[in-house]
Amino acid sequence: TRPKYRDGPTVSRRAATGPDSVGFLSVAGEGVELEVVAPGGSRVSTTGGEGQGKIARSESSVDCPGFAAPGGNASSCTVSINLDTPPPGDYTVVARSTDRRAVVLNVGWASATQARKGAFDVRVQVAARGATSFVIIVTREGVSQRSEPRPSAR
């Protein structure tokens, strides 16, 4: 007997990504601005303004609980970028800050079928009004860190 496939979103996901490819990639941190640059140069940022060059099927969010309250500041803001079905390749993650800051960025991913998943932390030091970047690689098997964080001109 042959397996029967369901109609709907499952069919399009299987056709677009294959059962073994990465279904989503997420990068999150606190107190910094984040940007992810795809292999083709398209990008997504937590500061907005991507326009036509935005990575397809991507979204960014900023959550600042208590920011407007007395004593609230930007360091309490949590930022995240999510990529849905990212194609394989090298992605550059850029962290920026107005103040000198050391943070831990969380990178998480799962396969399209959720059979495989993983996460890792990257410790980043950002100079005041500076940027620090590192590269992660997306393959059919998963996501891993390709380079160490270093100051960036981006």
Side-chain angles (χ1 to χ4, degrees), residues 51-73:
Q52 278 186 311
K54 184 178 178 188
I55 297 174
R57 299 176 309 279
S58 67
E59 63 181 35
S60 63
S61 65
V62 178
D63 184 24
C64 296
F67 182 71
N73 60 39

Side-chain angles (χ1 to χ4, degrees), residues 26-91:
S26 177
V27 181
E30 189 173 291
V32 293
E33 297 170 359
L34 286 178
E35 180 178 35
V36 175
V37 183
S42 56
R43 57 190 66 226
V44 62
S45 170
T46 56
T47 58
E50 294 91 14
Q52 278 186 311
K54 184 178 178 188
I55 297 174
R57 299 176 309 279
S58 67
E59 63 181 35
S60 63
S61 65
V62 178
D63 184 24
C64 296
F67 182 71
N73 60 39
S75 66
S76 63
C77 295
T78 302
V79 296
S80 65
I81 293 178
N82 300 304
L83 308 179
D84 189 23
T85 62
D90 289 351
Y91 289 76

Side-chain angles (χ1 to χ4, degrees), residues 1-49:
T1 62
R2 293 183 186 204
K4 294 184 180 183
Y5 296 107
R6 296 181 297 189
D7 292 333
T10 306
V11 171
S12 64
R13 184 183 304 195
R14 190 173 50 249
T17 64
D20 294 336
S21 60
V22 173
F24 79 87
L25 166 66
S26 177
V27 181
E30 189 173 291
V32 293
E33 297 170 359
L34 286 178
E35 180 178 35
V36 175
V37 183
S42 56
R43 57 190 66 226
V44 62
S45 170
T46 56
T47 58

